[in-house]
Structure formats: structure tokens, C-alpha cells
Amino acid sequence: MLFKQQAWLRQKLLVLGSLAVGSLLYLVARVGSLDRLQPICPIEGRFGARGQAEFPLRALQFKRGLLHEFRKGNSSKEQVRLHDLVQQLPKAIIIGVRKGGTRALLEMLNLHPAVVKASQEIHFFDNDENYAKGIEWYRKKMPFSYPQQITIEKSPAYFITEEVPERIYKMNSSIKLLIIVREPTTRAISDYTQVLEGKERKNKTYYKFEKLAIDPNTCEVNTKYKAVRTSIYTKHLERWLKYFPIEQFHIVDGDRLIMEPLPELQLVEKFLNLPPRISQYNLYFNATRGFYCLRFNIIFNKCLAGSKGRIHPEVDPSVITKLRKFFHPFNQKFYQITGRTLNWP
């Protein structure tokens, strides 16, 4: 009899202990997320002065839960109406640069509770067929959000496509434009590496980088090679400046975002007139993958796709030197126009 009572008592204590641990973990998660995010966040309707409108930020746990379900299509019109959700045109666009870190920037900005990202590249403004479908088609491609949140999309091809600046201007002449850049030669090699990997997956051969980047007839830099042309940032930016003042652009240092992301993200928060919410808590270095991963809360972490951070092929040092010498005057002009000097050789 005594043995049965002892066994019953141990079972009860085990149940109570499990409940206590579960409650403690829940409280830690709630306190951890609420403490860093704070309950009220001032957001302006159209990037005006801070504090014009307020909304409870992570009553916006919906942002990770409910909105995710809506993105998957698990919603009704009535649910959307009840939660006051809308599909908004973007108030900021990451327009480039390809292989500059556009995906990393978008995912990191999505840490902010007032930001909602378009998961896929829409290619609305650079694709004639998509553009002909009209602005309502574009809006329907945007994720659900609360009216006070801002939607951001990224399509790196926008930066180098001639028709895009005018098309975006016609949609919203006061839109905020983000450009993330890397050292031009490194970016060109990264661009080549991605194309090379695609060729190898299809068992196709491809030229070496040196043969593409250097014109064999003149032994000079081959400006007809797209990876080289894309890295002449100032040439593309000048086209954009025909429609938008420089104040509507923010330059993100893609090399620094890899090594030290928080300062770059804080500059973007300021540019977008967002209250500071992204902290070192949200970013942790993954030694296995070799770059920073994202921490949304105590439970949910996320790393970028394995295709990010590809190993570059070895390139002839003399070709790298020639490319850097070629890009140097364009870089100096880029610094002058943007007001941001970057530590490029």
C-alpha cells in the first residue's frame, strides 16, 4: 500500500514539474520578445515625422503566424476583413545590385515588426509582360500586412534596366530606394560564380572568368560582359537620378553587411523612418555556415539558403588588379554622388 502511494506521489510531482517548466519557458519567450520589441511603435503613414500613428507591434505575433497563413492562401475574405489586413504597394524597394546582398538585406529587414517582405522577386517593372498586367496585378503580388506596416520588395534587375526608373516614378514619385553594393570586382566574380554553378548543374561547360572579363583582342576590360557592366554603379545610378533626388536613395555596404550587419541595418531603419527595433539579439554568427543568421525570438531562428556564400573560383591576380584599376574612377564618382565613401581598393 505504501509503495502504491509513493508511486502515485512521484507521478503527481512529475506532472506538476512538467507544467512548471512549460510555464517558465512560455514566460521566458514572452518576456524575451516583448522586452526587446516594446509594445508600442510609432510609424508614420508616408515617411513623415515619427510618432504620427501608433499600433501595437507584436500584437503582431500575427506577423509571423497569421500573416504566414494568409501568404499560404489559408484565409477567407472575412478573416482578412476582420483583421484589418491589406495588400499594399511597396513603400520601399531594394532595386539592386545583383550579387550585392539583396536577399540578405531583405531577410534582415524583415526582422523589424513594422516591415513585411514580398517573399519572391516580382519582376514587375523590368518585365514588359508583367508590367502590361497593370499596377493592380502588382499589388496582388504583395503580402498581407497591417495598414501601418510597410511592404518592401526586391528585384535586383531593376537597377540596371533602362525602363524601370520611369515606371517606378509613375507608381510613386516619393518611394524610398535601397541599393546594396559590394566591391565591384568581388561582385563581378560572385556574379560569374552563380552563372557557373548553374551551368555545371546542367553538365554544361563555361568560359573561365578571365576570358570573359578581359577582351582577348585589346587585353583591356571587356565592358560588354554583363557582370562587368553591372559593377559600374555610377552609370546606372545616373539614369535613376533623372527621376529621383539622391535623398530618396540609401546605399547599403554589402561587404559590411556580411561582416558586421547591425550598424548597416540601423542606418536603413533611420532612412525608412522606422523606430529602432533590430538589435544584436536578432543576429548571431553561424561558424559552420560562415555568416550571420537571424533570430526572430527565443524559438524561431533562420539562416539564408545554402546557395548563399558560394566559394569563388581562383582568379588571376593580374586580372583582379586590372579590374580594380578600371573600376576606380567610377567608384570615386559613385562616392561623390552618394555622399558615402566605401573602403574599396
Side-chain angles (χ1 to χ4, degrees):
M1 183 68 178
L2 179 61
F3 176 77
K4 288 183 178 180
Q5 287 179 334
Q6 289 175 335
W8 178 85
L9 182 60
R10 281 197 298 270
Q11 187 178 10
K12 286 292 184 183
L13 287 173
L14 184 62
V15 171
L16 290 171
S18 298
L19 288 171
V21 171
S23 299
L24 180 61
L25 286 173
Y26 173 78
L27 287 171
V28 168
R30 289 291 293 166
V31 170
S33 62
L34 290 175
D35 177 63
R36 72 184 179 85
L37 292 167
Q38 304 177 23
I40 298 295
C41 166
I43 300 292
E44 52 294 309
R46 287 185 59 82
F47 301 100
R50 298 187 184 197
Q52 291 178 352
E54 292 185 348
F55 70 106
L57 271 190
R58 281 237 194 203
L60 307 161
Q61 209 60 311
F62 278 19
K63 183 174 185 291
R64 305 297 172 206
L66 180 66
L67 296 183
H68 178 67
E69 290 301 307
F70 288 163
R71 279 198 295 273
K72 294 191 300 183
N74 301 335
S75 63
S76 66
K77 290 183 179 180
E78 182 64 17
Q79 286 176 309
V80 171
R81 186 187 65 78
L82 284 174
H83 292 293
D84 195 27
L85 295 171
V86 291
Q87 288 173 289
Q88 304 183 81
L89 291 172
K91 293 178 181 174
I93 300 178
I94 301 171
I95 59 174
V97 175
R98 172 181 161 87
K99 307 312 300 173
T102 57
R103 173 56 61 182
L105 177 60
L106 183 67
E107 295 293 343
M108 289 178 178
L109 289 178
N110 195 49
L111 288 163
H112 198 293
V115 170
V116 180
K117 69 179 176 73
S119 297
Q120 303 298 321
E121 293 179 9
I122 311 298
H123 289 286
F124 177 64
F125 297 103
D126 65 313
N127 183 297
D128 291 341
E129 185 178 341
N130 287 343
Y131 189 68
K133 294 175 183 176
I135 202 71
E136 188 62 16
W137 178 89
Y138 180 54
R139 188 177 67 80
K140 289 292 185 181
K141 291 292 182 181
M142 295 300 133
F144 286 98
S145 63
Y146 292 99
Q148 301 91 337
Q149 291 174 308
I150 68 169
T151 298
I152 298 180
E153 79 122 322
K154 73 102 174 174
S155 292
Y158 289 170
F159 185 59
I160 63 170
T161 305
E162 289 189 14
E163 299 84 1
V164 172
E166 182 179 6
R167 289 174 174 180
I168 292 181
Y169 179 84
K170 287 178 178 178
M171 178 191 73
N172 182 358
S173 62
S174 62
I175 198 165
K176 298 279 187 173
L177 301 166
L178 295 163
I179 307 173
I180 180 167
V181 293
R182 295 189 67 192
E183 190 275 314
T185 301
T186 303
R187 194 221 64 81
I189 296 171
S190 181
D191 198 331
Y192 166 83
T193 304
Q194 178 170 306
V195 175
L196 175 66
E197 184 181 277
K199 296 285 186 182
E200 290 176 342
R201 278 200 305 266
K202 298 175 182 177
N203 294 316
K204 293 182 178 181
T205 57
Y206 196 48
Y207 295 110
K208 291 189 69 174
F209 176 78
E210 292 88 339
K211 190 168 184 178
L212 294 168
I214 304 299
D215 187 325
N217 297 318
T218 64
C219 293
E220 297 299 326
V221 172
N222 180 15
T223 55
K224 294 180 180 179
Y225 178 38
K226 188 175 180 180
V228 169
R229 287 202 317 273
T230 299
S231 285
I232 307 175
Y233 304 136
T234 185
K235 290 289 187 182
H236 306 293
L237 182 58
E238 285 172 345
R239 186 188 317 117
W240 284 84
L241 290 173
K242 294 176 183 178
Y243 295 90
F244 300 96
I246 194 63
E247 292 76 20
Q248 283 177 233
F249 295 87
H250 178 73
I251 306 302
V252 179
D253 184 343
D255 296 305
R256 190 184 184 202
L257 189 76
I258 295 169
M259 305 301 298
E260 194 181 2
L262 185 58
E264 286 299 315
L265 295 172
Q266 289 172 333
L267 289 173
V268 177
E269 284 181 321
K270 186 176 181 180
F271 172 69
L272 296 178
N273 292 324
L274 294 172
R277 287 295 181 273
I278 302 173
S279 70
Q280 198 60 57
Y281 170 88
N282 301 117
L283 304 158
Y284 67 96
F285 187 77
N286 186 313
T288 303
R289 307 193 69 154
F291 49 80
Y292 279 86
C293 294
L294 316 179
R295 181 186 291 117
F296 290 87
N297 52 46
I298 198 170
I299 298 170
F300 180 52
N301 299 338
K302 179 179 182 179
C303 287
L304 297 178
S307 61
K308 303 301 178 185
R310 296 179 180 89
I311 297 174
H312 293 178
E314 286 190 19
V315 176
D316 185 334
S318 67
V319 171
I320 292 177
T321 299
K322 185 182 286 287
L323 283 167
R324 287 179 171 167
K325 184 177 180 181
F326 168 80
F327 286 126
H328 181 75
F330 297 111
N331 295 342
Q332 295 302 309
K333 190 171 183 180
F334 185 73
Y335 302 158
Q336 184 181 7
I337 292 172
T338 63
R340 180 159 197 189
T341 300
L342 302 165
N343 297 319
W344 295 339

